[in-house]
């Protein structure tokens, strides 16, 4: 359902307008304009949507208007207006409620009484016959009433009803008709002469002229008046309105109506009793005249015209136009449709250089752009004209046009980063052209093309925006930049075509001032038409796809050419592409900017570059080198974080003086020569020792961390919540540089401000991306290694470094069990690593040591203690540790005495056994943590208070009191690295050492 707005009385009497769904303003400066001086500029606002028609007076609230079976009348200033529902292009007449009472009720009574009368006495059938007769009589009267209403609807009387009938396409009859307010002696046959007299004669004459013009086809009756004219050479009669002072008697085929003083040969126009002649304003006749003129002009046009009928589209014809001699480079005039006088051509340079296109859904806006671009492509080669297509409705509007050789890019709302890059590149292209023109001594591209001699070719760039209202709503800054570029690039070869469905409120004064070529298909309201053409004419165009008004210097109704079905368009695009390949040997069209960054970039040998950085403002790609200092690389899963660490490691190891430690990473990277250490993410004890070393050597060590967030989580698990942040903060203060990869969770850490240099990889949601320091509009391409600098927002493609082949790590010699070889000791001694994880198993000669200790995994042979107490839970390797200790100390010449754990709990230490001179004695014992903790007397109590202690898996036991040596708090830290059998902490006078006990050889 739509709504018709009409003015019943006032200065605009007879004016009418169709209201489309949406919000409209009524007033002297509103979408629905009134000339009543008592009406304010923005008098009222109406909204038509699924909730109905609502009205809001300035400063008030919306209230619903009851517009249904009956129209709604309101007073605005000195004008009385009407809102009426219309449907199916006719004034809406809902079903009368009398249908129910006149037909429904009697018919229902008849149906109910029929079973009762069946088989009963005859008088019962009278009870059935009576309601049946009533239903038939009601049906006859209702049909007669509907017929009368239909006749009244076919021949409207009031001025606004006449105008509505014309706007709805219900223009007049093909037989002479007379308004029902006039007597039957008036037939408007040739030779009649009538007069209108009195003060209201001009208003009555305007109404009658409009009624006759609107209610008759021109070939039946034409009108010649000062307000509205219709003409047809074969008209049966012509009604001429003339002032009494200059009136003359009717000529052949003519009816004369005089206005003013009475004349002897013109009788007063007879009016039926009880009727009066309606009034009409000058605005009624002007609006009616415009609608009739457009209807007459449009009726002479075909409903469809093929582009192939206007332009030869064969491959030889296309090539001939591209190579036409003696024609300046650039787009030539192209046929785009037909007018009432013949084919219509548009010259983008002369008629433009920029164009504005509008049209509601279903009017052929996308087909218009397709046909126009195909005509331009078939007329001008890609050397001289290129297309940049912008579609913020998903990118499907241009379809096969993206495969044209002229197309240098398709920008969509799905990739806002590409749109921003294109705008930056276009700005740089304009500056480059300005420098070229200045050096050549010319002011425009036309003058540059006219220069003789060799020169750098410059193609014109046509930017086409489909649905710029969506662009203006979602990215208003982008639209302003496009318009500003087109304004500045008028003489530099930049052209703009902007299309939309609803121009109201979107077309800015800047666009109106710089886009002289206007093309308007059918729109929903006169306000939309006025925004494009400054006239309401496009709202009255017939619903024919491709029917448009083209306005440059003059406004012309055009039937736009149709390029054909999708298969036809695809075939034409392929033909144009094949022609260009044959002409240019497959070379691409000239690009106004650097190509996009590659999706995959291998590492260049002997190059310090980390990749390529896109510099659209310089129209180039440059090598990327991060600044000295800390670097934080943030990204999601499968975004290339590990490859980035391998890249950083590869490039920094080129410096032989670099002292680099890797935390995390793969085993192959950890085995690379040149590293001073490798620390697994889960080894909290080795991380602690490394931090102590970094703190003692400030500004000396470089650190690379793969998955910083995981390392922080393991430190928190081991040493308590917040410990990870504390240790990372210490690392950033002391290390020479830290290069780390992480997810977005670390971006808000308190130490993150110390790493302002950041690379943002893909895989992050918009909120995380903003948290990392990158604006939400800086979208990232979902390619591994594609990054953006947070402080410049430039796009970077990092070089890809594949994982190295898995090689034997430096621990291979330690893990090997060859009791007769000295390779384990040699491997440990030859390793350059200062920091390396302890092996999970170790075999060495008994006299070389009892195992390996952190941080360098060196073999450990303790000083000679008086006793050793092994404290370990079940399954921690207690028996193996006792065996290794016994074999080691025996090999060193000790007289070893082992105490049974069950006896040691209560019995005192045994007296030393007789031993050979110069052989020191050593007591070994082992027990579980609970027994040792509760031992207050006996051998266990004496051993834990006097000798060395080996704690295996200390994170699985409670703190043990009464030990001879102080136990640091980190000993009981929960870390997965301590779960290996034989892994523990050695406590003696020299301190506490994390140890991996060797297996006996």
């Amino acid at each position: 359902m739509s709504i018709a707005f009409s003015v019943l009385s006032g200065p605009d009497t007879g004016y009418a307008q169709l209201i489309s769904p949406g919000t409209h303003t009524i007033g002297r400066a509103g979408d629905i304009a009134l000339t009543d001086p008592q009406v304010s500029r923005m008098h009222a606002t109406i909204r038509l949507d699924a909730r109905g028609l609502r009205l809001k007076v300035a400063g008030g609230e919306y209230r619903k208007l009851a517009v249904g079976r009956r129209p709604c009348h309101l007073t605005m200033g000195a004008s009385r207006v009407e809102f009426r529902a219309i449907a199916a292009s006719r004034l809406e007449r809902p079903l009368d409620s009398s249908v129910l009472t006149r037909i429904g009720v009697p018919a229902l009574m008849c149906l109910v009484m029929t079973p009762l009368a069946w088989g009963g006495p005859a008088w019962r059938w009278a009870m059935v016959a009576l309601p049946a007769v009533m239903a038939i009589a009601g049906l006859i009267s209702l049909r007669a009433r509907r017929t009368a209403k239909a006749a009244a609807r076919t021949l409207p009387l009031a001025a606004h009803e006449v105008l509505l009938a014309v706007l709805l396409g219900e223009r007049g009859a093909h037989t002479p008709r007379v308004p029902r307010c006039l007597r039957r002696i008036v037939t408007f046959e040739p030779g009649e002469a009538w007069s209108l007299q009195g003060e209201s004669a001009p208003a009555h004459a305007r109404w009658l002229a409009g009624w006759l013009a609107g209610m008759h086809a021109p070939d039946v009756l034409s009108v010649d008046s000062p307000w509205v004219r219709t003409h047809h050479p074969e008209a049966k009669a012509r009604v001429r309105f003339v002032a009494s002072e200059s009136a003359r008697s009717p000529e052949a085929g003519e009816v004369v109506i005089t206005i003013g003083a009475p004349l002897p040969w013109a009788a007063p126009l007879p009016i039926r009793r009880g009727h009066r002649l309606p009034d009409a304003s000058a605005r009624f006749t002007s609006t009616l005249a415009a609608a009739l003129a457009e209807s007459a002009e449009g009726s002479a046009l075909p409903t469809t015209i093929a582009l192939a009928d206007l332009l030869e589209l064969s491959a030889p014809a296309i090539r001939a136009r591209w190579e036409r001699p003696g024609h300046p480079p650039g787009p030539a005039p192209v046929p785009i449709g037909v007018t009432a006088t013949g084919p219509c051509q548009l010259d983008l340079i002369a008629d433009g250089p920029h164009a504005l296109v509008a049209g509601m859904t279903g009017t052929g806006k996308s087909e218009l752009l397709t046909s126009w671009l195909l005509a331009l492509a078939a007329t001008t080669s890609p050397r001289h004209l290129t297309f940049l297509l912008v579609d913020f409705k998903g990118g499907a509007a241009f379809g096969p046009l993206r495969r044209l050789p002229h197309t240098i890019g398709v920008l969509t709302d799905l990739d806002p980063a590409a749109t921003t890059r294109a705008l930056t590149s276009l700005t740089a292209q304009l500056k480059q052209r300005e420098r070229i023109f200045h050096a050549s001594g010319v002011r425009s591209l036309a003058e540059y093309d006219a220069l003789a001699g060799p020169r750098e070719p410059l193609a014109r760039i046509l930017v086409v925006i489909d649905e710029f209202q969506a662009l203006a709503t979602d990215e208003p800054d982008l639209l302003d930049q496009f318009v500003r570029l087109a304004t500045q690039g008028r003489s530099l070869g930049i052209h703009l075509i902007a299309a939309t469905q609803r121009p109201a409120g979107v077309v800015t004064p800047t666009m109106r001032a710089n886009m002289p070529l206007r093309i308007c298909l059918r729109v929903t309201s006169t306000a939309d038409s006025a925004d494009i053409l400054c006239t309401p004419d496009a709202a009255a165009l017939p619903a024919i796809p491709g029917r448009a008004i083209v306005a440059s210097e003059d406004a012309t109704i055009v039937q736009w050419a149709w390029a054909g079905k999708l298969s036809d368009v695809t075939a034409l695009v392929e033909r144009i592409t094949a022609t260009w390949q044959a002409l240019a040997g497959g070379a691409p069209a000239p690009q106004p900017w650097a190509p996009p960054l590659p999706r995959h970039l291998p590492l260049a040998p002997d190059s310090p570059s980390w990749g390529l950085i896109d510099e659209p403002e310089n129209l180039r790609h440059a090598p990327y080198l991060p600044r000295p200092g800390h670097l934080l690389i943030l990204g999601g899963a499968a975004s290339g974080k590990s490859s980035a660490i391998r890249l950083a490691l590869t490039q920094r190891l080129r410096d032989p003086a670099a002292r680099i430690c890797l935390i995390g990473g793969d085993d192959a990277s950890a085995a690379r020569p040149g590293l001073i250490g490798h620390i697994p993410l889960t080894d909290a004890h080795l991380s602690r020792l490394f931090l102590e070393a970094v703190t003692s050597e400030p500004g000396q060590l470089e650190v690379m961390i793969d998955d910083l967030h995981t390392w922080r989580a393991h430190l928190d698990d081991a040493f308590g919540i917040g410990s990870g942040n504390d240790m990372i903060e210490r690392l950033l203060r002391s290390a020479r540089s830290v290069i780390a990869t992480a997810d977005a969770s670390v971006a808000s850490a308190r130490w993150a401000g110390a790493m302002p240099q950041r690379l943002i990889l893909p895989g992050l949601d918009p909120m995380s991306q903003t948290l990392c320091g990158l604006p939400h509009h800086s979208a990232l391409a979902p390619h591994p290694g594609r990054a953006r600098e947070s402080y410049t927002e430039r796009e970077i493609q990092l070089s890809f470094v594949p994982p190295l082949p898995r090689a034997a790590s430096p621990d291979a010699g330690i893990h090997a069990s060859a009791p007769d070889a000295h390779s384990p000791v040699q491997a440990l001694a030859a390793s350059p690593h200062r920091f390396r994880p302890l092996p999970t198993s170790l075999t060495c000669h008994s006299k070389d040591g009892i195992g390996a200790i952190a941080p360098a995994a060196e073999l450990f042979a303790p000083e000679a203690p008086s006793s050793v107490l092994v404290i370990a839970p079940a399954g921690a390797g207690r028996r193996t540790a006792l065996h290794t200790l016994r074999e080691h100390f025996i090999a060193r010449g000790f007289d070893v005495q082992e105490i049974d754990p069950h006896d040691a709990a209560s019995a005192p230490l045994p007296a030393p056994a007789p031993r050979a001179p110069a052989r020191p004695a050593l007591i070994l014992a082992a027990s579980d943590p609970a027994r040792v903790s509760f031992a207050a007397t006996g051998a266990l109590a004496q051993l834990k208070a006097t000798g060395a202690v080996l704690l295996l898996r200390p994170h699985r036991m409670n703190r043990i009191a009464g030990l001879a040596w102080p136990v640091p708090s980190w000993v009981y830290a929960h870390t997965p690295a301590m779960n290996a059998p034989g892994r523990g902490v050695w406590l003696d006078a020299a301190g506490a050492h994390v140890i991996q006990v060797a297996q006996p050889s």
Side-chain angles (χ1 to χ4, degrees), residues 141-222:
S141 64
L142 186 63
R143 288 179 60 88
R145 183 177 178 183
R146 289 284 179 87
T147 302
K149 288 186 177 181
R153 186 168 64 245
T154 303
L155 293 177
L157 184 62
H160 65 275
E161 292 183 346
V162 174
L163 182 54
L164 282 176
V166 174
L167 293 176
L168 291 170
E170 299 178 349
R171 185 180 176 184
H174 292 277
T175 56
R177 296 293 180 91
V178 178
R180 61 178 179 271
C181 62
L182 300 180
R183 293 186 179 180
R184 294 187 177 182
I185 59 173
V186 181
T187 60
F188 294 114
E189 294 290 334
E192 293 184 2
W194 306 100
S195 67
L196 292 169
Q197 303 171 13
E199 295 181 357
S200 302
H204 297 328
R206 284 192 294 266
W207 165 80
L208 184 57
W211 193 96
L212 292 174
M215 294 296 101
H216 292 86
D219 58 340
V220 176
L221 187 145
S222 61

Side-chain angles (χ1 to χ4, degrees), residues 571-624:
L572 180 55
V573 169
E574 294 175 352
R575 196 179 313 138
I576 294 174
T577 303
T579 304
W580 171 249
Q581 291 176 348
L583 182 64
Q591 297 287 322
W593 48 65
L597 289 171
R599 294 190 176 186
H600 180 81
L601 183 65
L603 180 63
D606 302 326
S607 172
S609 170
W610 286 36
L612 292 177
I613 184 169
D614 189 24
E615 296 182 354
E617 69 276 9
N618 297 323
L619 302 176
R620 67 173 186 177
H621 297 157
Y624 170 67

Side-chain angles (χ1 to χ4, degrees), residues 952-970:
L952 298 180
R953 293 184 182 172
H955 63 290
R956 294 193 176 183
M957 60 180 71
N958 296 324
R959 292 179 179 270
I960 299 176
L963 296 180
W965 318 108
V967 183
S969 59
W970 57 261

Side-chain angles (χ1 to χ4, degrees), residues 579-839:
T579 304
W580 171 249
Q581 291 176 348
L583 182 64
Q591 297 287 322
W593 48 65
L597 289 171
R599 294 190 176 186
H600 180 81
L601 183 65
L603 180 63
D606 302 326
S607 172
S609 170
W610 286 36
L612 292 177
I613 184 169
D614 189 24
E615 296 182 354
E617 69 276 9
N618 297 323
L619 302 176
R620 67 173 186 177
H621 297 157
Y624 170 67
L625 285 172
R627 296 176 300 171
H630 303 320
L631 173 63
L632 184 59
I633 304 173
L634 302 169
S639 61
K641 297 194 300 292
S642 297
S643 175
I645 282 293
R646 292 194 296 267
L647 171 64
L649 193 60
T650 301
Q651 298 301 67
R652 287 301 300 136
L653 285 177
R654 295 178 187 272
D655 182 5
R659 303 174 63 194
I660 303 173
C661 182
L662 175 64
I663 301 177
D666 53 74
D667 294 339
S669 297
R672 298 186 61 167
L675 288 175
I676 67 166
H678 171 241
I679 303 172
L681 296 173
T682 58
D683 198 334
H685 290 306
L686 187 57
S687 301
R688 174 186 54 81
L689 295 172
F690 171 70
L691 284 172
E692 292 176 358
V694 174
T695 306
S696 64
E697 303 175 36
Q700 299 298 317
L701 301 182
E702 299 180 32
V703 187
M704 296 188 183
I705 309 173
D706 193 8
D707 287 342
L708 177 61
H709 57 286
T710 305
W711 188 52
R712 181 180 66 168
H714 284 297
L715 294 178
D716 284 342
D717 293 340
F719 304 118
I721 299 299
S723 301
N725 285 330
D726 294 338
M727 299 174 78
I728 294 172
E729 197 168 12
R730 289 170 50 198
L731 177 66
L732 292 173
R733 285 198 302 263
S734 303
R736 180 180 180 181
S737 68
V738 176
I739 300 176
T741 65
D743 62 13
S745 63
V746 306
S748 59
R750 66 172 185 264
W751 46 261
M755 305 183 77
Q757 184 180 194
R758 299 182 184 181
L759 293 181
I760 315 300
L761 294 169
L764 301 177
D765 58 82
M767 182 176 296
S768 300
Q769 179 177 299
T770 305
L771 187 65
C772 293
L774 200 64
H776 69 280
H777 63 265
S778 298
L780 290 167
H783 311 315
R786 184 63 57 87
R788 281 191 185 274
E789 284 184 310
S790 61
Y791 53 93
T792 64
E793 299 183 27
R794 287 181 175 174
E795 196 171 24
I796 299 168
Q797 180 62 45
L798 297 176
S799 298
F800 175 70
V801 178
L804 297 175
R806 188 178 183 86
S809 73
D811 295 338
I814 303 175
H815 294 182
S817 57
D820 297 329
H822 292 273
S823 56
V825 180
Q826 294 172 358
L828 288 171
S831 173
H833 286 194
R834 289 179 53 188
F835 306 95
R836 57 184 295 170
L838 293 174

Side-chain angles (χ1 to χ4, degrees), residues 171 209 213 222-231 289 292-293:
R171 185 180 176 184
S222 61
V223 176
D224 181 9
S225 74
W227 316 283
V228 58
R229 289 183 175 85
T230 58
H231 175 72
L292 293 175

